[in-house]
Amino acid sequence: MKEEHLPNQAPIANGYHETKKHTGFLFPYNVYPCTIPDDFPSVSLHWQDTMEIVYIKKGRGRAQVDLSVFEVHAGDIILVLPGHLHGLRHIHGERMEYENIIFDMTFLGSGVIDLCSQKYLLPLLRNEWKLPVCVTPLDDCHASLSACLDNADMLCGLRPTGYELEIKADMMKFFSILFRTADPAKQEPPAPANIDRLKTLLHLIEEQFQRPLTVEEAADVCGYSASHFMRWFRQVTGTSFIHYLNRFRLEKAFQELKTTDKTVLEISQEVGFDNLSNFNRLFKKQFLMTPRELRTTKTGTIH
């Protein structure tokens, strides 16, 4: 798929609350082709104010949306509403190609005072509708949903006269199909406390990862005791806090190694490691290659 209106570069979440402008004002719809781990080893948990659809094209990986962690495969369609946490992870030995479809909800008319906006779009943004987080090829609605995305993909590439109108029609149809799978009468009241705590903690990691961060400090930010925090964090992320923090640091180092001429020692210290041997050991365990081996490869591809 050709990207719409932006340079040919996959978006990387540099901050947990992503503020990069992906969409244009007049036609707020963009598509980015991405590959994990070729483009980057993962997409860290983050959130943004735009709508995001992740369409898995080949391979498999792991995804997280809010507090749900699940494996994704070719054909899966992941739906991420504005303000919701999401991220993607590499599975060792696997390569996953996907499309990131990003647009502002005003593209569908959420800022318009009409029946569609009042009955569907605005309640959706208020979490009064619960749409499926992931639609797989086994779901009845998958063929219809993927047809909408594939047609919009084709239009982005060819750009015939009026293609903007048809892309908008495709996305309106996409959401109309999704709304048929949801029933607002069955929705449970949203429980944002855990999400808000996790967002606060992720912001702390983003801002302070270069210095020592203790479990006790992280627990205090969340208002928990250290023991309760460790259980809670593993429950909502699937891993320990120290492992998550080190993985975040290592992925920062991975990008620095690929894009700068800084020494391995300089990079290890900048991302928060005070012991080079420990950094090298954890890096090889994470990416199955040493930092120097990454530097000597032309593509930096993880196997």
Side-chain angles (χ1 to χ4, degrees):
M1 172 181 285
K2 292 183 180 179
E3 179 192 319
E4 181 65 20
H5 294 301
L6 282 179
N8 188 18
Q9 179 181 1
I12 301 175
N14 293 318
Y16 283 112
H17 184 190
E18 191 176 34
T19 57
K20 177 181 177 181
K21 187 69 173 178
H22 293 296
T23 58
F25 176 74
L26 294 179
F27 190 69
Y29 180 90
N30 287 280
V31 181
Y32 301 86
C34 305
T35 303
I36 289 179
D38 295 7
D39 294 328
F40 31 79
S42 73
V43 178
S44 298
L45 277 175
H46 65 288
W47 69 97
Q48 65 225 17
D49 299 326
T50 49
M51 182 77 199
E52 184 169 339
I53 299 170
V54 181
Y55 188 12
I56 310 300
K57 307 299 285 188
K58 294 181 181 179
R60 67 188 181 105
R62 289 190 180 89
Q64 178 168 352
V65 177
D66 288 333
L67 305 183
S68 299
V69 181
F70 48 95
E71 191 168 299
V72 290
H73 306 80
D76 288 356
I77 300 169
I78 306 167
L79 191 72
V80 184
L81 294 173
H84 286 250
L85 284 167
H86 56 289
L88 295 170
R89 295 217 57 79
H90 168 237
I91 294 177
H92 285 310
E94 297 287 339
R95 183 174 180 272
M96 183 173 72
E97 298 179 20
Y98 65 97
E99 290 176 350
N100 243 10
I101 303 166
I102 299 173
F103 55 91
D104 196 285
M105 287 298 285
T106 57
F107 178 64
L108 301 182
S110 64
V112 178
I113 302 177
D114 67 2
L115 178 63
C116 293
S117 176
Q118 297 297 312
K119 188 174 180 180
Y120 300 106
L121 300 179
L122 292 178
L124 177 63
L125 293 175
R126 295 194 297 262
N127 295 309
E128 294 171 11
W129 286 89
K130 186 177 180 181
L131 302 183
V133 171
C134 183
V135 178
T136 77
L138 298 178
D139 293 316
D140 292 339
C141 62
H142 182 273
S144 299
L145 293 174
S146 61
C148 294
L149 299 181
D150 291 339
N151 190 61
D153 189 357
M154 178 273 294
L155 291 166
C156 281
L158 298 178
R159 300 190 184 187
T161 300
Y163 78 98
E164 299 96 334
L165 292 170
E166 191 169 347
I167 288 175
K168 187 169 184 177
D170 282 328
M171 298 316 298
M172 294 293 280
K173 183 176 181 181
F174 180 91
F175 276 89
S176 74
I177 295 167
L178 284 173
F179 274 113
R180 292 174 209 158
T181 70
D183 182 355
K186 297 180 181 179
Q187 301 312 309
E188 298 179 358
N194 279 337
I195 301 296
D196 290 343
R197 284 191 180 97
L198 187 53
K199 284 183 176 181
T200 300
L201 181 60
L202 294 177
H203 181 73
L204 173 70
I205 293 173
E206 171 69 23
E207 294 295 318
Q208 305 290 333
F209 73 92
Q210 294 171 309
R211 68 171 183 82
L213 281 174
T214 66
V215 169
E216 289 74 18
E217 184 177 356
D220 186 61
V221 166
C222 296
Y224 290 141
S225 67
S227 58
H228 182 75
F229 168 78
M230 288 188 289
R231 291 192 299 271
W232 170 81
F233 190 85
R234 183 175 290 277
Q235 181 182 18
V236 299
T237 66
T239 190
S240 70
F241 172 72
I242 296 301
H243 183 266
Y244 187 96
L245 176 61
N246 282 337
R247 188 172 66 191
F248 179 85
R249 290 168 167 165
L250 291 168
E251 289 169 356
K252 290 285 189 182
F254 183 94
Q255 292 300 321
E256 288 288 298
L257 287 162
K258 289 184 66 175
T259 58
T260 75
D261 294 325
K262 297 175 184 176
T263 67
V264 174
L265 177 60
E266 287 174 329
I267 291 173
S268 68
Q269 292 174 338
E270 285 182 4
V271 300
F273 289 93
D274 57 8
N275 185 293
L276 181 60
S277 296
N278 186 46
F279 170 75
N280 285 330
R281 179 180 61 82
L282 292 175
F283 192 95
K284 185 171 184 177
K285 183 178 180 180
Q286 178 72 25
F287 302 119
L288 304 183
M289 64 174 70
T290 67
R292 295 190 186 281
E293 287 171 342
L294 173 63
R295 276 267 170 89
T296 59
T297 62
K298 291 183 179 180
T299 61
T301 300
I302 306 169
H303 302 288

